[in-house]
Amino acid sequence: GKLDSEWELTLLNGLGNLHNSLSDYQTAIDYQRQHLDMAKTTGDRQSEGLALGNLGLNFYFLGDYHQSIQYSEQSLEIVREIGDRRAEGAALGNLGLAYDAVGDFKKAIDYHRQYLAIAQDINNFRGQREALGNIGLAHQNLGNFAQAIEFHQKSLEISRQIDDQLGEGQALGNLGLAYSSMGNYTEAIECQQKSLTITKAIGDRRGESSSLGNLGNIALYLGQYDEAIKLHQYSLAIARSIQDRKGEATSLGSLGSLYD
């Protein structure tokens, strides 16, 4: 009956999210596809929008940005239709991430700003810190480092206010990146080390790998080659263990330049 199907939808979504959190994106996608099929069969529009949104996010993590954009756009259409504001924000944020990944930073900023507006509207603080951080990253990619720092500071403030350690670790890592780009290595190292402490404490492997890689890049700039190699090897090992293709490619690229 209806209760059974609701329970099954919740379960499939839960299993998908669990595998996403374990960085097993392929299995997460399998569960979300089952979730999507069942949502369509039972005519549950909210679950359909949710499943499409989760598929968009998982394809983003797998590095398949084209599919990510397609699923996120389908999700956006449905959640707007049914007036699910939180899901609408998430879909806009996912589109922003995918456009950032394909190098369309202006479009990414536009989507993240729409996400930010909704998150502020519905008092979704985690959404606000995510959107602010992602606007900061897009500015970083455009070379607007001072603006990037401004957005990451705001993201850090909100994370600390709501005691969101994942967000705090990310914001510190992003700040470190922006300081590095400006050649401010003392500040950069301090931010990355703080980020590393937090990501290790909460088991955020992706964040830990990222901070190690960033510290490796700083060591390289400072001419500490042995240290740089060690840090990038740590970073690579973690990226491989969680199937983080993007992180793995970054680490290999950094190691490659070290051996040139």
Side-chain angles (χ1 to χ4, degrees):
K2 189 166 171 6
L3 266 178
D4 285 345
S5 62
E6 273 178 23
W7 164 240
E8 200 172 333
L9 282 167
T10 307
L11 182 67
L12 288 167
N13 183 46
L15 285 166
N17 290 339
L18 173 69
H19 282 278
N20 172 289
S21 69
L22 296 171
S23 307
D24 182 357
Y25 304 117
Q26 204 53 65
T27 311
I29 285 166
D30 294 339
Y31 280 118
Q32 293 297 354
R33 281 196 199 281
Q34 290 176 52
H35 180 206
L36 179 62
D37 289 341
M38 181 148 192
K40 281 180 170 168
T41 311
T42 56
D44 183 336
R45 298 291 275 166
Q46 193 172 8
S47 288
E48 191 182 343
L50 185 65
L52 287 163
N54 285 329
L55 281 164
L57 192 61
N58 280 303
F59 276 111
Y60 165 78
F61 282 131
L62 270 183
D64 189 339
Y65 306 121
H66 180 69
Q67 288 231 65
S68 176
I69 288 167
Q70 279 188 317
Y71 280 111
S72 297
E73 278 176 348
Q74 288 174 38
S75 173
L76 186 59
E77 209 173 299
I78 291 174
V79 297
R80 275 186 171 154
E81 201 180 291
I82 62 172
D84 184 342
R85 300 280 279 159
R86 184 176 278 270
E88 184 184 352
L92 288 163
N94 292 346
L95 281 165
L97 288 174
Y99 279 109
D100 192 82
V102 297
D104 193 340
F105 307 124
K106 294 263 197 315
K107 207 166 193 175
I109 288 173
D110 181 47
Y111 277 115
H112 289 311
R113 282 194 182 281
Q114 290 180 59
Y115 178 21
L116 180 61
I118 289 176
Q120 285 169 334
D121 210 27
I122 64 173
N123 287 324
N124 173 7
F125 293 107
R126 210 185 119 226
Q128 289 173 39
R129 72 93 177 145
E130 262 180 19
L132 287 163
N134 287 326
I135 293 169
L137 283 173
H139 276 299
Q140 165 84 17
N141 288 330
L142 283 168
N144 308 333
F145 306 127
Q147 267 178 294
I149 286 172
E150 210 177 298
F151 282 102
H152 293 318
Q153 297 274 26
K154 284 183 190 163
S155 182
L156 181 61
E157 258 166 58
I158 292 178
S159 301
R160 284 180 172 158
Q161 273 165 13
I162 63 172
D163 196 23
D164 176 352
Q165 287 191 292
L166 182 71
E168 191 180 349
Q170 284 175 354
L172 284 162
N174 290 337
L175 269 172
L177 209 55
Y179 283 126
S180 281
S181 303
M182 295 180 90
N184 189 340
Y185 298 123
T186 317
E187 287 268 14
I189 290 170
E190 197 186 321
C191 288
Q192 295 299 355
Q193 282 175 340
K194 280 184 186 164
S195 174
L196 195 55
T197 306
I198 292 172
T199 52
K200 272 185 165 163
I202 64 171
D204 171 17
R205 303 287 280 161
R206 179 182 287 272
E208 186 185 346
S209 170
S210 169
S211 284
L212 286 164
N214 290 332
L215 282 166
N217 288 336
I218 297 169
L220 176 60
Y221 295 135
L222 298 176
Q224 300 160 352
Y225 299 111
D226 292 345
E227 182 69 6
I229 287 171
K230 198 173 76 181
L231 288 161
H232 281 304
Q233 281 171 341
Y234 274 138
S235 173
L236 177 62
I238 295 174
R240 282 195 168 141
S241 77
I242 63 169
Q243 297 178 301
D244 172 8
R245 301 274 175 265
K246 207 171 159 195
E248 191 179 338
T250 307
S251 295
L252 285 169
S254 301
L255 279 166
S257 67
L258 273 163
Y259 289 116
D260 278 352

